[in-house]
């Protein structure tokens, strides 16, 4: 179970890092209340985020492969 959890977290971190590397900013859809559109939010990742997420995710994925499989007794 721990092996699958760490593998999923590492893979998700790598995907998020790759996405931050490719995109400059993400504009979220504006919220509409009473027929009026409220201001939309922009998410701009910092410069260090893509490479840090890719590196950390890769290390976690490699770590997940070193966790021993549980043997059912």
């Amino acid at each position: 179970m721990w092996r699958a959890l760490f593998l999923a977290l590492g893979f998700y971190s790598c995907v998020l890092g790759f996405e931050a590397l490719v995109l400059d900013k993400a504009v979220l859809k504006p919220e509409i209340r009473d027929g009026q559109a409220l201001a939309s939010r922009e998410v701009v990742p910092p410069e260090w985020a893509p490479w840090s997420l890719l590196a950390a995710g890769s290390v976690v994925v490699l770590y997940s492969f070193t966790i021993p499989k549980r043997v059912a007794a």
Side-chain angles (χ1 to χ4, degrees):
M1 179 175 96
W2 288 110
R3 185 179 200 172
L5 175 73
F6 281 114
L7 183 62
L9 289 175
F11 182 72
Y12 181 73
S13 179
C14 285
V15 167
L16 197 62
F18 182 72
E19 185 177 336
L21 185 66
V22 173
L23 299 176
D24 290 331
K25 68 179 178 178
V27 180
L28 301 179
K29 187 172 121 178
E31 186 178 340
I32 299 175
R33 284 192 198 158
D34 300 328
Q36 294 179 347
L38 301 176
S40 59
R41 289 180 40 190
E42 288 186 0
V43 178
V44 180
E47 291 222 5
W48 54 265
W51 296 110
S52 298
L53 286 168
L54 281 169
S58 300
V59 168
V60 171
V61 167
L62 291 174
Y63 170 72
S64 73
F65 291 134
T66 64
I67 298 174
K69 290 183 182 178
R70 227 173 245 225
V71 179

